[in-house]
Amino acid sequence: MFKNHNCCHHDQSHSPSNTTAIYTCPMHPEIRQVGPGSCPKCGMALEALVAESEDLAELNNMKKRFFTATLFTVPLFIISMGDLLPGRPISGLMSPTFKIWSEFFLATPVCLWSAWPFFVKGLDSIKRKSLNMFTLIGLGVSVSYIYSVVATLFPDLFPSSFRGMDGHVAVYYEAAGVIVTLILLGQVLELKARNQTGEAIKKLLGLAAKSARKILDDGTEVDIPLDQVEVGDKLRVRPGEKVPVDGVVLEGKSSVDESMITGEPIPVTKADGDKVVGATINETGALVMKAEKVGSETLLSRIIHMVAEAQRSKAPIQKLADTVAGIFVPVVIGISIITFIVWAVWGPEPAFSFAVINTVSVLIIACPCALGLATPMSIMVATGRGALQGILFRDAESIEVLRKIDTLVVDKTGTLTLGKPKLVTVKPEVKFSDVEFLAYVASLEQGSEHPLAQAIVDGAKEKGVNLNEIKNFESITGKGVKGQIKGKDIALGNKALMIDLGISFENSLEVAETYRSEGQTIMFVAINGSFAGLIGVADPIKESTPSAIKKLHAEGIKIIMLTGDSKTTAEAVAKKLGIDDVIAEVLPQDKVDVVTRFQNEGSMVAMAGDGINDAPALAKAHVGIAMGTGTDVAMESAGVTLVKGDLSGIAKARNISRATMNNIKQNLFFAFFYNAVGIPIAAGILYPVFGLLLSPMIAAAAMSFSSVSVIGNALRLKK
């Protein structure tokens, strides 16, 4: 099962209660499999897509190999370099032959056991024709070690020019041993640093409740594990407990801390009929709730899933790094061959020894791990940081593009406004009383799921109006609804619907415009083919909207309101908020056309919305921004989700975007600059002028440091 590395099983990867771990590569997120292993492309250790607990297996393995290598390499280095120490203490203790054999016995466990994973991964890369950093490490270590073993066991194979003043062929066990030890040190530091990038997901996982208190049919209560909660279960949430799953309150009243979702410290009062979200904290009273979303469907699980997917996605800028890395290793191997030939033919004596040393230095210093880590490490840290601020990036491309946005198209209802409209105007024709008129309208709107319809129904109930049964209900997209109530044909909607039905309503237009100028959404009502009156609903503007728009204007972003509401109502709202432009009376299917028009004019467009009708436009925009308080379809279509449903999150998201891209560019510069400078020096370009050569040991230290420095720079984004 799962023999294909590219398999992807989302369902099993993001539930807090999940026990089947999907593993993926930070450098190649398309690689996925069940259980740990190594990436077939770059050889790096795979990581759990959602780390439910700290996975230390690979880190502990590398630590054991590093400590073993250190134990043997320290005396190996002292013996090898003893003649360079003051007083040359080793010379009097060991003969040249004994010294060489001592180095052989000390280097062998380092090069054969500690370095074994490097050889396996290097050989695997050759088999798969996907050369990577382990190809270079394996070649560098094996060349220096095998050359030294041959020189130790069969010294007569070498000409006299290879021998030193003591008559022995020079060996490079210390180079191989120190290279392995330093690279293992780099791997240990890198794995520890990579573990830190998953802290955001671990924090999110830690928010989930561990169990739930289920109320059985006979009224008894029992505690059950969270993964056993089913949709429809009645659950009791006592004071101080976490709400186990998403659902609705059936009984009780309490204050609930929803800061996990909204970021606001002020508790929210919950009573019968109110929605509650899993992992929020019930503070004061007891609640009885019905489970509506469990397992992977809860908001917390979806947030964890989105963060995990975003962390493993590729930004477009990484294509540059991938392209370079793809040709880099073969080029480096070519450079190492040229280096060997040049030093072996034209180098000073012992030329062959110089050729081996410099070839090994080139192979080791050129390992492209820093180049491969430059982008994914920054993306992982940035998405985690965003999640903790209530900003969910669906993929790395959204992070990269968001900072370039110059035009923001926003839906009105639920985005600029609360999305909780209230009935404020009931104006029937004289032949109908307010109660009779409202009874017809509210009864019709029972069949609609539109927020304005719900506002009318709620308003009627508050006024004590009795609702009647509806027959032949029909919703006409972008225009309104119609049906039969108590044998009468009722229609409610905008001007387009009235025109389609041949209803004369011109005498009411002036009154309707007056209400619209106050920010109300006005709907026309017809009964039995004749105009019957007006219904007005107002949706309050979110408190945070004015300041959010000021921030976005300060960043030079043009803001356009796109709404199906009337032009007068939309302009009244736009005037209050200082919005640049208004496009009103737009049908849902036309929102995509508006976004496309701005894109064709050369604008970088972000679309912010919360409804199902916004989903196509969210998907079409360069970056779609969904309100977390909106529909699931909108969230799935958008590149960014603001959990709090607050436009001020866009400014925060742009700050993260800018910081992340600057960080990635710094990392890529470090990686490119390091290799551009390091490879020529390792090849010996400074030797003719300055007499300087780069030891393979220093090359190994520099290579390890470059990877760790890239990760360290990425971790700065946490702050």
Side-chain angles (χ1 to χ4, degrees), residues 395-412:
D395 51 39
E397 184 174 1
S398 300
I399 298 178
E400 180 171 343
V401 175
L402 189 58
R403 78 193 199 285
K404 302 177 182 177
I405 293 301
D406 55 31
T407 302
L408 174 64
V409 178
V410 292
D411 176 51
K412 179 175 74 71

Side-chain angles (χ1 to χ4, degrees), residues 242-266:
K242 289 182 177 179
V243 176
V245 295
D246 298 1
V248 62
V249 176
L250 298 177
E251 300 173 21
K253 186 175 182 180
S254 181
S255 295
V256 176
D257 178 1
E258 294 190 329
S259 57
M260 182 274 289
I261 300 296
T262 64
E264 297 293 336
I266 302 172

Side-chain angles (χ1 to χ4, degrees), residues 169-302:
V169 179
V171 293
Y172 302 101
Y173 290 117
E174 86 288 345
V178 173
I179 286 169
V180 171
T181 304
L182 289 173
I183 292 173
L184 283 169
L185 173 61
Q187 289 281 294
V188 168
L189 295 175
E190 181 182 308
L191 286 167
K192 288 183 74 173
R194 278 163 55 185
N195 277 341
Q196 293 183 43
T197 62
E199 284 182 3
I201 287 183
K202 291 171 189 172
K203 285 181 180 178
L204 290 170
L205 284 163
L207 294 173
K210 302 297 183 287
S211 63
R213 191 166 187 82
K214 182 177 179 180
I215 302 174
L216 303 178
D217 293 339
D218 60 5
T220 58
E221 299 180 8
V222 60
D223 289 325
I224 61 173
L226 194 66
D227 58 2
Q228 292 182 15
V229 177
E230 298 179 355
V231 174
D233 282 353
K234 285 178 66 176
L235 308 172
R236 184 178 299 280
V237 188
R238 292 166 292 191
E241 290 183 337
K242 289 182 177 179
V243 176
V245 295
D246 298 1
V248 62
V249 176
L250 298 177
E251 300 173 21
K253 186 175 182 180
S254 181
S255 295
V256 176
D257 178 1
E258 294 190 329
S259 57
M260 182 274 289
I261 300 296
T262 64
E264 297 293 336
I266 302 172
V268 180
T269 301
K270 298 290 183 180
D272 296 7
D274 289 334
K275 299 283 187 181
V276 286
V277 178
T280 56
I281 301 171
N282 180 31
E283 293 196 336
T284 53
L287 296 174
V288 175
M289 62 171 287
K290 181 175 76 172
E292 292 187 332
K293 292 183 179 179
V294 301
S296 61
E297 297 303 315
T298 65
L299 179 60
L300 178 62
S301 291
R302 288 168 58 209

Side-chain angles (χ1 to χ4, degrees), residues 587-605:
L587 296 176
Q589 61 268 29
D590 296 333
K591 290 186 176 183
V592 174
D593 297 335
V594 173
V595 170
T596 303
R597 174 160 58 85
F598 282 110
Q599 289 175 327
N600 292 340
E601 291 172 359
S603 298
M604 290 293 291
V605 182

